[in-house]
Amino acid sequence: MSTNTMCRASALSVAIASIFHPASVIAQEGALEEVIVTATRRAQSIKDIPINITALSADMIERERLTNLADVSRRVPGMTVVDQGARGGDILTVRGLNVDSLNASEFLNNSGGDTVATYFGEIPLYIDLKLNDMERVEVLIGPQGTLYGAGTLGGAVRFLPRKPDPEAFAAELRGELYDLSQSSSQGLEGGITVNVPLISNTLALRASLDVVDDPGFIDYNFLVREPGVSLPQPDFSDPDAVSSNLRRQQDANTEETVSGRLALGYTGDLLDATLTYYYQNMDVGARQINHQEAFGTGEYESAHRYLEPNERENQLLALELVADLGFAELTSATGVSRYEEQGQRDQTDLLLNFEFGYEAFPAFAAFTREDAEEDRFNQELRLVSTEAGPLTWIAGLFYNEYETDAVSQEFAPGFDQFAVDNFGGVQLRPDALEYIQTTTTELTERAVFGEIGYQITEDWQVTIGGRYFEYEYDASTGFDLPLLNTVFFGSPPDLIDLAVQANSIDDDGSLFKFNTSYHLTEDIMGFFTVSEGYRIGGLNSVPECPDPIPPGVQNVCALPDEILIEPDKTVNYELGLHSQFGDALLFNASLFYIEWDDIQVADVTANGGLPILTNGNSARSQGIEVAGQWLLSDRIILVGSYAYINAELAEDAPGLVDGVDAFDGDRLAGTPEHQGSLALNYAVPIGNGRELELDWSMTATSDVLTKVGERNNGESLPGYALHNISATWFRDDWTVTLYSDNVFDKYAETSVRQDNSFVRDVSGVDLRRYFKNVNRPRQTGLRVVYQF
C-alpha cells in the first residue's frame, strides 16, 4: 500500500470527535485526544484547519443517542433545525439565513430548505437520516462551494458511514425499549451490523439493518366518522351527537422506519473502491402538533378532521473510487437516488378560508392526497494534490441531474350533492375531486470548483478558491377544478382536463473564496475567511393565470411575476481562533458577518393561495460562536458551546411579511439569538474489566420569531432548555445504558402553521388552520448493545 493510501486509511480509522462537542473525546493518559478530520479533503488535526468545523464521532452519537439531524443541530453552534416531528420534515438553517415565516410544512420535499448541503458519504443528497453505523458527522459552517460539488448558501453537513473493514470479522446487535411520558404504549428499536472480510486485506462486505417502532403521543380526537356525512363540528354539549359524528385515535403520530445499508469495499495499493446501497422507508401516522389556541385542545392533541399519514422512501446507489496518482489523489463519486412519497392531510380550512360557499355545507370536510417521485444523478470528479511542498491545490467537476413528478388532489366528499340541492348544480361528481395539480420539473447543474493554497512561512498560509456554475431548470404544471366543472358546468363526471403551463429558466455565475491563517504559537491558530455562497433559483411549479383573469369564479393560479425565482447569494466574513492550552483545555471562537442578497422568501399566490417562493431584498447576519472542552481530571470532561446570532433585514422590504411591509433592522424569523449546550461525562472504574459512565447534557435556545420583525400577527415562541441524563455500564463486549431524554418533561412549541389571525370562524365554522408543532416529551429507556 502506498504512503498516501496508508495515511488515508489511518485517518479514517481515527475516532473522530468534535472540537465543539467532544464528549466523545476520550482522555488519553491525562490528556485530551487530538482530533483528526478530513473535511478539507486532507487528514489534519482540527486545530490546524482554518475553517469553522464540528465533527461528531460515532462514540458521541451513541453516547448521547443522536438519532437525526435535529439532534445534531442542538450540538453545533450556529446551526438550527426546526424540528417538526417525523411527519413535518425539517427546516435547516445556519447563522440566521432564514427569512421565511416559521411555518409548519404543508408540502413535504426532499430538500431540508436548501440553505445547507447535506452529503451521504461523498454524494450530495438530503435524507432525514437515521444515524446508525456512522463513522462520524461533520458540519462545516459557511459556504463550501470551492471544496464540495454541491453549491451551498451557508454550509455543509456530511454523514460519513463506517467503511467495510477487510481486516477482521465484526458484528453488533443493538436493541432498545423505551417509554414516552405522553404515550399509552412503549417504543422499540433494534438493529444489526455485520462486517465480513471476503479477501484478507483487500475486499470486505458491511451490512446494517435497523427498525424503529415509535408509539406516538399526539391524540387526534376530532376525526370525522364518515366524510361528507358526519358533522365535523357537532353540538359538543351533546355526547350522543359527538360520538355519532366523531371518533378518536390515540397516539396517532406513530413512526415505523426501516433503514439499511449494504456496502462492498475494496482496498488496494493504488485504488480504494466502495459500492453502497442505502435504503430508508419512513411511515408516519400523523403530525406532531396541537390546536390549543385555535380549537381549545390539549398540549398533545390535534383537532384535524382526518388522519395525516405520510410515507417516504429513499434509495441511493453510490460508487466511490479513490485512486493514488502519485502527484495527486483522484476521487470519483457517482450517485443514483430515488425518492417516493405518499401522503394525506386535512385541507378543510384552506377551502373554508376562501369563503367560496363550502362553509354553507354543515358536513364539509376536505382532504388532500399527494404523491411525488424524485430521481437524481450526481457525478463528482476531484483531484487533491499530495506532493510535499508549500503549494497545495484541489480541482473538481460536478454534475447534477434532477427530475420530479408530483400530483396533488383535493377531495370534498358530499359537496356535489349539497351543491345540486342548494346552489343549482346540474349533476354529481362521484369521486369528489375538487382540485388536481400535476408538476414535472427537470434541473441540470454543472460546476467547476477548486482551491490553491500556499504556505508562505511555516506558520502562515494563504488559500484562494473559486467556482463557476451553470444550470437549466424546466417546469411543467397542469391543474383542473373537476368538481366545479362537473357540478356547475355539466362536464362528464369523470373528466379531468388539465390546463398545462410550461416554463424554463437558465443561469450561470461564479463564486470566490479567500482564506488565510497564522499560528500565533504552536497551539494557537487564527484565521480569516471571505467566502461567497449561493442557492440556485428556479420556477414555481404553479399554473399561470389567464389574461384577463375571469371574475367571480374560483381562480387558482400565479401572476407573471409569481413564476420566476432568482438565485440568492451570500458573502461570509469570518475571523476565527483554534487553540489548545496544555493537555487539558481547548477553546475555539469565531466572529462572523454575512451579507445576503435577493433572499428567497416563502409566499403564496394572490389567486388561490398556492405556496410559492419569491425574492426579497437583502439581509445581514452577525454574531459569535465559542466552544471548548476542559479535562477536569483523568475521569471528568466538561464540554460547552454558545452562539449569538443577530440576523436582520438590511433594507426596507415592502410586502415581505404576507403582503405587509417589513423594515431595515427587523429581526429575521426562525433563528434564536442565543443557543448553547453543556455536557459532563464522568467515567467510574468498578473493577473486573467493568466501567460505569455517567452523562448529563443540556441544550438551550432563546426565543424564535415566527415572522420577520414579529409583524402581521407574527409571534415569539419562548426559548427552552432540554436536559438528558444516562448511566452506561461497560463489560467486555456488552454495553447497557439506562437513560432519560428531556428528563424534566419540558413542553415547548417549535413552529406554527399560519398565524393567530386564523383563530376565527367562517359563518359559524371554526377554522383550525392555525396550529403549533411541539417537541418530543420525556423518553425513558433501556438500550443494550452486544459486539462480537
Side-chain angles (χ1 to χ4, degrees):
M1 183 181 291
S2 69
T3 301
N4 291 331
T5 304
M6 291 174 63
C7 291
R8 182 170 64 252
S10 176
L12 291 176
S13 67
V14 174
I16 307 298
S18 170
I19 203 69
F20 291 128
H21 296 281
S24 53
V25 178
I26 302 172
Q28 299 289 329
E29 297 180 355
L32 291 171
E33 183 181 23
E34 184 178 26
V35 180
I36 306 296
V37 295
T38 57
T40 57
R41 307 307 191 183
R42 296 179 177 88
Q44 291 178 276
S45 172
I46 199 168
K47 68 184 180 66
D48 295 328
I49 296 179
I51 61 175
N52 192 319
I53 177 175
T54 300
L56 312 182
S57 73
D59 181 65
M60 180 184 181
I61 292 169
E62 176 69 23
R63 181 193 306 275
E64 297 202 20
R65 299 168 303 285
L66 309 183
T67 62
N68 55 31
L69 194 55
D71 290 338
V72 169
S73 72
R74 295 188 185 103
R75 290 144 179 90
V76 179
M79 179 176 166
T80 303
V81 172
V82 179
D83 186 3
Q84 301 182 109
R87 170 63 173 80
D90 295 324
I91 304 173
L92 171 61
T93 62
V94 295
R95 290 180 170 172
L97 297 181
N98 177 41
V99 75
D100 293 338
S101 299
L102 189 58
N103 223 336
S105 301
E106 277 197 15
F107 301 99
L108 289 176
N109 55 50
N110 216 30
S111 71
D114 290 328
T115 60
V116 178
T118 55
Y119 281 78
F120 183 83
E122 297 288 344
I123 308 299
L125 177 69
Y126 180 80
I127 303 176
D128 188 10
L129 193 71
K130 297 298 182 183
L131 301 180
N132 298 310
D133 199 33
M134 287 288 115
E135 179 70 31
R136 64 189 182 277
V137 177
E138 294 182 355
V139 182
L140 292 84
I141 302 295
Q144 304 299 330
T146 62
L147 268 176
Y148 292 86
T152 67
L153 191 68
V157 179
R158 303 176 69 209
F159 299 104
L160 301 174
R162 288 191 172 109
K163 297 284 189 179
D165 181 3
E167 299 290 338
F169 173 85
E172 178 181 282
L173 289 173
R174 45 192 175 269
E176 185 172 337
L177 174 67
Y178 60 87
D179 176 79
L180 293 173
S181 65
Q182 299 296 325
S183 182
S184 60
S185 56
Q186 285 69 48
L188 294 169
E189 293 189 19
I192 183 172
T193 298
V194 178
N195 185 92
V196 182
L198 301 177
I199 301 177
S200 180
N201 301 319
T202 303
L203 191 67
L205 181 70
R206 190 176 189 91
S208 64
L209 178 67
D210 286 86
V211 295
V212 174
D213 186 3
D214 188 84
F217 55 90
I218 299 293
D219 298 334
Y220 273 53
N221 290 337
F222 300 89
L223 300 172
V224 293
R225 289 189 178 274
E226 185 177 352
V229 176
S230 301
L231 300 179
Q233 196 165 317
D235 181 359
F236 287 106
S237 65
D238 183 349
D240 291 336
V242 173
S243 63
S244 63
N245 287 281
L246 304 179
R247 65 182 181 89
R248 300 182 176 186
Q249 181 151 332
Q250 195 174 25
D251 303 333
N253 65 321
T254 56
E255 178 192 344
E256 295 179 1
T257 297
V258 177
S259 59
R261 181 171 63 98
L262 186 65
L264 182 66
Y266 170 81
T267 303
D269 291 336
L270 300 177
L271 177 69
D272 288 354
T274 306
L275 178 66
T276 302
Y277 172 73
Y278 178 80
Y279 175 85
Q280 180 168 296
N281 181 277
M282 179 181 290
D283 192 353
V284 183
R287 295 182 191 266
Q288 191 170 304
I289 64 170
N290 70 42
H291 285 87
Q292 203 170 9
E293 294 167 60
F295 210 69
T297 69
E299 293 179 343
Y300 302 97
E301 183 180 339
S302 167
H304 275 144
R305 306 155 188 85
Y306 294 95
L307 284 176
E308 299 179 295
N310 185 270
E311 182 176 4
R312 302 194 291 278
E313 181 180 87
N314 276 282
Q315 298 182 76
L316 171 65
L317 182 64
L319 177 62
E320 299 176 13
L321 303 173
V322 181
D324 184 358
L325 304 182
F327 70 98
E329 181 180 88
L330 172 65
T331 299
S332 171
T334 308
V336 179
S337 63
R338 183 171 180 80
Y339 168 75
E340 296 180 78
E341 174 189 345
Q342 299 85 38
Q344 174 178 291
R345 54 190 173 86
D346 190 341
Q347 190 72 325
T348 311
D349 298 291
L350 174 68
L351 298 177
L352 287 175
N353 190 61
F354 290 152
E355 299 190 55
F356 288 145
Y358 300 111
E359 66 278 5
F361 178 32
F364 180 71
F367 64 93
T368 293
R369 286 181 180 154
E370 288 156 338
D371 297 272
E373 296 180 355
E374 169 190 301
D375 291 288
R376 188 186 296 264
F377 172 78
N378 286 297
Q379 176 63 57
E380 181 174 340
L381 293 173
R382 184 176 63 249
L383 276 172
V384 179
S385 65
T386 56
E387 291 184 324
L391 183 68
T392 59
W393 51 267
I394 296 172
L397 299 172
F398 178 68
Y399 178 81
N400 176 34
E401 188 176 280
Y402 167 82
E403 297 181 359
T404 64
D405 288 287
V407 59
S408 178
Q409 302 177 84
E410 293 177 5
F411 298 90
F415 187 75
D416 56 344
Q417 184 67 63
F418 182 80
V420 168
D421 294 341
N422 296 275
F423 293 155
V426 298
Q427 63 179 324
L428 301 180
R429 178 82 193 194
D431 63 7
L433 182 59
E434 184 271 336
Y435 175 77
I436 181 171
Q437 177 178 322
T438 61
T439 304
T440 301
T441 65
E442 295 183 9
L443 169 69
T444 303
E445 181 184 10
R446 306 172 189 86
V448 180
F449 61 95
E451 294 186 356
I452 298 176
Y454 191 80
Q455 197 74 33
I456 299 174
T457 69
E458 184 178 354
D459 295 319
W460 181 25
Q461 72 82 33
V462 174
T463 298
I464 58 172
R467 179 187 185 90
Y468 172 79
F469 64 91
E470 60 182 25
Y471 66 88
E472 300 94 38
Y473 189 93
D474 300 303
S476 177
T477 303
F479 84 103
D480 189 23
L481 299 168
L483 190 146
L484 175 71
N485 294 331
T486 295
V487 172
F488 292 103
F489 301 117
S491 297
D494 59 351
L495 179 66
I496 297 176
D497 185 15
L498 295 172
V500 178
Q501 173 73 36
N503 294 284
S504 299
I505 185 178
D506 60 80
D507 199 6
D508 59 65
S510 59
L511 302 174
F512 172 76
K513 174 182 176 180
F514 171 79
N515 170 267
T516 186
S517 63
Y518 187 80
H519 276 85
L520 304 172
T521 69
E522 181 179 354
D523 294 319
I524 302 177
M525 180 195 67
F527 64 89
F528 174 71
T529 302
V530 180
S531 55
E532 295 179 316
Y534 83 105
R535 174 170 47 184
I536 66 173
L539 297 162
N540 285 306
S541 300
V542 291
E544 190 170 355
C545 292
D547 187 15
I549 300 175
V553 298
Q554 180 178 350
N555 292 296
V556 183
C557 59
L559 299 172
D561 63 353
E562 295 175 333
I563 299 293
L564 179 64
I565 310 167
E566 297 284 353
D568 51 351
K569 301 174 183 177
T570 56
V571 182
N572 186 87
Y573 303 88
E574 183 168 358
L575 181 65
L577 179 76
H578 288 174
S579 64
Q580 177 175 339
F581 301 96
D583 294 329
L585 182 64
L586 295 175
F587 178 78
N588 291 337
S590 287
L591 291 168
F592 66 88
Y593 179 83
I594 300 173
E595 297 172 348
W596 184 17
D597 293 321
D598 298 320
I599 54 182
Q600 293 182 14
V601 183
D603 203 349
V604 295
T605 59
N607 295 281
L610 295 175
I612 59 172
L613 290 176
T614 58
N615 290 95
N617 293 337
S618 64
R620 57 179 169 257
S621 181
Q622 54 195 333
I624 183 171
E625 297 155 354
V626 296
Q629 56 177 302
W630 186 10
L631 185 62
L632 301 176
S633 73
D634 290 352
R635 294 290 176 178
I636 304 176
I637 299 176
L638 179 67
V639 181
S641 70
Y642 169 75
Y644 168 73
I645 300 172
N646 177 24
E648 59 188 18
L649 289 180
E651 58 182 315
D652 294 348
L656 178 68
V657 188
D658 302 330
V660 172
D661 295 347
F663 300 96
D664 184 359
D666 278 352
R667 180 181 161 193
L668 300 187
T671 299
E673 287 188 308
H674 304 276
Q675 174 192 22
S677 68
L678 200 62
L680 186 67
N681 171 253
Y682 178 36
V684 184
I686 54 179
N688 297 323
R690 295 170 295 173
E691 185 171 279
L692 180 67
E693 286 195 1
L694 305 177
D695 287 276
W696 164 80
S697 65
M698 181 272 294
T699 59
T701 178
S702 64
D703 75 307
V704 175
L705 299 190
T706 62
K707 294 185 180 182
V708 171
E710 208 171 339
R711 298 185 182 277
N712 196 25
N713 297 296
E715 57 189 297
S716 172
L717 299 181
Y720 59 94
L722 301 177
H723 296 258
N724 302 333
I725 59 174
S726 67
T728 303
W729 177 76
F730 300 89
R731 180 174 181 179
D732 300 326
D733 298 324
W734 289 91
T735 303
V736 180
T737 302
L738 179 65
Y739 70 88
S740 183
D741 294 338
N742 189 8
V743 64
F744 298 117
D745 206 14
K746 175 67 177 177
Y747 166 81
E749 297 158 351
T750 62
S751 65
V752 302
R753 180 62 192 160
Q754 299 300 336
D755 58 57
N756 55 23
S757 69
F758 286 85
V759 182
R760 62 185 180 89
D761 69 77
V762 177
S763 299
V765 180
D766 292 323
L767 291 184
R768 310 175 202 181
R769 201 175 182 198
Y770 173 69
F771 59 75
K772 291 183 176 178
N773 281 86
V774 299
N775 70 315
R776 193 170 174 86
R778 180 176 59 239
Q779 176 174 322
T780 302
L782 180 69
R783 180 175 175 83
V784 179
V785 178
Y786 177 62
Q787 296 177 327
F788 57 94

